[in-house]
Amino acid sequence: MSHIATGIVQRRQTGSSANKAVLMFMAACASDDGSGIWTSKANIAADLEMSKRTVQRAVDALLAASLISEVGQRKCRNGFTVEYRINIEAIEKLPSTRDTMTPLDTKSTGDTMSPVSPCHLTGVTMSPHGVSQCHPNLTGTILEPLCAANAVNTGLSDFFDRFFAVYPRGGDREKTEAALKKAVCQDGVSCETILSGTKAYAAEQKGNHPRYVAYSENWVEQKRWLQFATTAKPVSPDVILEQRAKAIRERQSWVGRHVSAASARELISRELVTVEQCRAAGVAL
């Protein structure tokens, strides 16, 4: 994060609140010279609570005005992310947002030497109102960084990458990340609990046709890790088979879609379920 780039962008007119918001976001991610910005438009839209299309239009407008430039690409799991650079010199030439402000009259402060002076703006010494600082930037004020949640976001990003590295079938990444974030941040589920369940599910589905494996976003939204997560011991194949057989006997809603014919025949051969139970649960044989 660059306070220098952020300060320059903050006091310049861009002609659009959406353009300004996106440019401020980029400045918060940039180095002091405006370089080193790589973040997906989907993440910008989520953080700014805008539609992805609005962010795309704002980026296009900033590029057309030469306020930012595309300088390269960064590889990511879904292909690549465009790397941008803020053109600081172009930003500095924009009209200032503070040109229309009326400077404080030094006579009202009673102090022409001090940059910060306690005074009452009306000059009324008997006013019941408290004395206020006239200087807009109070000495000792601590500005909290715009990206104070970066540590949390970075941890979640690492967690997302670990999840997708293990999960046997990808799906809609944005929906999956949103569901994982809700589980961790709102429901209080630990990342390791979800990853443990994910690894167990991947082991269970090994060798199955992809069409029998749940999409990642559905698996997370249905909290399927609760059926597979372990805390200490590795998952035993016999335990997994017993859990699957129990789900078939109880006719749980997901078994018809996610238990393959091969898995069902194995359960029948082990006499854990019957052909009738499989058919009743909607499992194809």
Side-chain angles (χ1 to χ4, degrees):
M1 174 183 178
S2 171
H3 288 291
I4 294 176
T6 302
I8 293 172
V9 171
Q10 179 179 327
R11 299 200 178 194
R12 292 297 183 272
Q13 299 177 18
T14 62
S16 164
S17 59
N19 293 357
K20 184 65 169 284
V22 171
L23 195 57
M24 287 290 294
F25 185 97
M26 289 184 168
C29 300
S31 301
D32 288 349
D33 62 355
S35 64
I37 304 166
W38 62 91
T39 182
S40 70
K41 295 180 180 65
N43 286 341
I44 296 176
D47 291 346
L48 295 180
E49 300 183 34
M50 295 178 175
S51 68
K52 188 174 179 180
R53 184 60 190 138
T54 298
V55 173
Q56 290 172 336
R57 285 197 295 265
V59 171
D60 289 343
L62 294 171
L63 287 169
S66 298
L67 299 179
I68 61 174
S69 303
E70 293 185 3
V71 296
Q73 296 177 353
R74 295 269 181 163
K75 290 184 179 181
C76 66
R77 184 174 295 277
N78 295 326
F80 67 88
T81 297
V82 176
E83 181 176 352
Y84 294 98
R85 178 190 184 97
I86 294 176
N87 299 324
I88 298 296
E89 293 182 358
I91 299 293
E92 290 177 330
K93 293 178 182 178
L94 293 174
S96 172
T97 59
R98 306 299 177 94
D99 284 347
T100 57
M101 292 182 64
T102 303
L104 286 174
D105 182 358
T106 56
K107 293 181 180 179
S108 68
T109 68
D111 185 356
T112 59
M113 300 298 292
S114 175
V116 180
S117 177
C119 69
H120 196 282
L121 292 178
T122 64
V124 179
T125 58
M126 299 302 292
S127 171
H129 299 291
V131 173
S132 62
Q133 295 279 2
C134 295
H135 197 288
N137 297 321
L138 305 183
T139 301
T141 299
I142 299 175
L143 299 178
E144 186 173 344
L146 295 177
C147 298
N150 270 357
V152 175
N153 293 335
T154 300
L156 284 177
S157 179
D158 293 341
F159 167 54
F160 297 155
D161 290 340
R162 292 172 64 192
F163 174 85
F164 283 107
V166 173
Y167 195 79
R169 184 183 186 184
D172 188 310
R173 187 176 178 106
E174 291 186 9
K175 289 183 179 179
T176 303
E177 289 184 358
L180 288 171
K181 185 174 182 180
K182 178 180 182 297
V184 174
C185 298
Q186 296 185 23
D187 300 339
V189 183
S190 72
C191 297
E192 294 305 321
T193 296
I194 296 176
L195 288 173
S196 174
T198 306
K199 292 175 182 177
Y201 181 69
E204 180 203 48
Q205 298 300 322
K206 186 175 181 180
N208 277 352
H209 193 282
R211 66 180 177 177
Y212 297 118
V213 181
Y215 283 112
S216 57
E217 65 271 22
N218 296 333
W219 192 86
V220 176
E221 288 174 356
Q222 295 168 9
K223 301 181 180 180
R224 297 272 299 278
W225 68 81
L226 295 175
Q227 302 168 10
F228 301 95
T230 59
T231 55
K233 299 180 180 179
V235 179
S236 166
D238 292 336
V239 172
I240 293 175
L241 290 174
E242 180 57 42
Q243 290 176 339
R244 194 180 304 169
K246 180 180 179 182
I248 292 175
R249 292 194 297 269
E250 294 176 354
R251 301 182 186 180
Q252 295 184 16
S253 60
W254 59 271
V255 296
R257 297 190 302 273
H258 302 296
V259 176
S260 67
S263 297
R265 287 194 291 269
E266 182 180 1
L267 294 174
I268 293 171
S269 67
R270 289 172 176 257
E271 298 183 350
L272 295 176
V273 295
T274 64
V275 173
E276 291 75 15
Q277 288 174 326
C278 290
R279 290 174 176 170
V283 177
L285 296 174

